[in-house]
Amino acid sequence: GEDVEQSLFLSVREGDSSVINCTYTDSSSTYLYWYKQEPGAGLQLLTYIFSNMDMKQDQRLTVLLNKKDKHLSLRIADTQTGDSAIYFCAEIPGTSGTYKYIFGTGTRLKVLA
Amino acid sequence: SQTIHQWPATLVQPVGSPLSLECTVEGTSNPNLYWYRQAAGRGLQLLFYSVGIGQISSEVPQNLSASRPQDRQFILSSKKLLLSDSGFYLCACTGGDRGYEQYFGPGTRLTVT
């Protein structure tokens, strides 16, 4: 099917690391993205990874890609209360000629003080 | 970089009334434009996308329609709203220097009563 899967909820304590997981659908997807949505707001592009990479680090964010298992993860180091939000992974399937993204169901991250 | 404007920010409409939501884009030419709907606590559902003026593709059958009268203007409409049309409507675009990346507007919260 064409479902990009994510767990619905994650709760962590402030200062701990958060790991949000995603299983995508199309092994030919070239670009994979992570978005953040704060309450009542649009989606904010956080980071992305090309399919020819295994890992990408951007300040507190680390993206890991396992192409064999079609598994993508986002690690947030030193999680802060401001990181509380919904996180979406997204892929552009290789067959998409119009940059039609497929979004995951979203993971709601709650950071406990 | 692209900036996406949406209005209104919130809207309360009775069942059976018409709808017009507007999205405009700054900072890029000939973008691909997208309308998504997000039900409360849920993921994103792609409603329409457009690759050019007057070119609209519909992803799901419904009582909504979309139009693109100008390059950077995208309108979502309905002749008669249903209760199930309630949700958070997001406009997005791709294009510009980083053509694959999708950027989102702030969204319109629609409540149909």
Side-chain angles (χ1 to χ4, degrees):
Chain A
E2 281 206 344
D3 290 338
V4 176
E5 297 183 351
Q6 298 179 239
S7 52
L8 291 180
F9 299 102
L10 176 65
S11 180
V12 300
R13 295 203 174 276
E14 190 174 20
D16 288 349
S17 293
S18 307
V19 179
I20 301 170
N21 295 302
C22 169
T23 301
Y24 61 97
T25 65
D26 188 343
S27 58
S28 66
S29 289
T30 306
Y31 302 92
L32 295 143
Y33 297 89
W34 283 103
Y35 283 83
K36 176 184 180 183
Q37 185 182 33
E38 297 183 359
L43 275 68
Q44 172 193 358
L45 177 61
L46 279 180
T47 188
Y48 65 93
I49 189 167
F50 291 118
S51 60
N52 62 356
M53 300 167 66
D54 296 324
M55 185 183 82
K56 179 180 179 181
Q57 188 152 2
D58 184 359
Q59 300 181 336
R60 291 191 297 122
L61 304 178
T62 303
V63 180
L64 295 178
L65 176 61
N66 180 332
K67 290 186 289 293
K68 174 176 173 291
D69 295 335
K70 291 187 282 187
H71 185 264
L72 183 72
S73 67
L74 174 69
R75 179 177 180 269
I76 306 173
D78 187 25
T79 312
Q80 303 298 306
T81 54
D83 295 324
S84 292
I86 302 175
Y87 290 81
F88 292 92
C89 64
E91 63 173 334
I92 304 176
T95 54
S96 170
T98 54
Y99 309 152
K100 282 171 58 179
Y101 282 41
I102 297 178
F103 284 87
T105 49
T107 299
R108 187 179 295 273
L109 174 65
K110 183 175 181 179
V111 182
L112 305 173
Chain B
S1 63
Q2 298 94 326
T3 302
I4 303 174
H5 302 281
Q6 287 188 245
W7 63 90
T10 60
L11 190 60
V12 180
Q13 292 282 96
V15 168
S17 63
L19 174 73
S20 181
L21 302 182
E22 189 162 345
C23 167
T24 58
V25 179
E26 293 178 359
T28 186
S29 298
N30 196 29
N32 287 357
L33 297 173
Y34 308 82
W35 277 113
Y36 292 90
R37 177 169 59 203
Q38 186 179 27
R42 305 289 294 277
L44 298 173
Q45 179 186 30
L46 178 62
L47 301 175
F48 300 95
Y49 69 93
S50 171
V51 299
I53 295 173
Q55 300 179 63
I56 308 294
S57 296
S58 174
E59 289 295 296
V60 291
Q62 59 211 326
N63 69 322
L64 299 171
S65 62
S67 62
R68 185 171 177 174
Q70 300 181 46
D71 181 45
R72 288 174 285 181
Q73 183 184 28
F74 205 23
I75 297 171
L76 184 69
S77 303
S78 174
K79 292 182 179 178
K80 289 185 177 182
L81 283 168
L82 306 173
L83 285 174
S84 58
D85 292 323
S86 293
F88 192 49
Y89 287 82
L90 290 159
C91 179
C93 79
T94 56
D97 294 339
R98 303 176 79 163
Y100 292 115
E101 292 180 3
Q102 192 159 116
Y103 294 91
F104 285 80
T108 294
R109 173 77 57 193
L110 171 67
T111 303
V112 182
T113 59

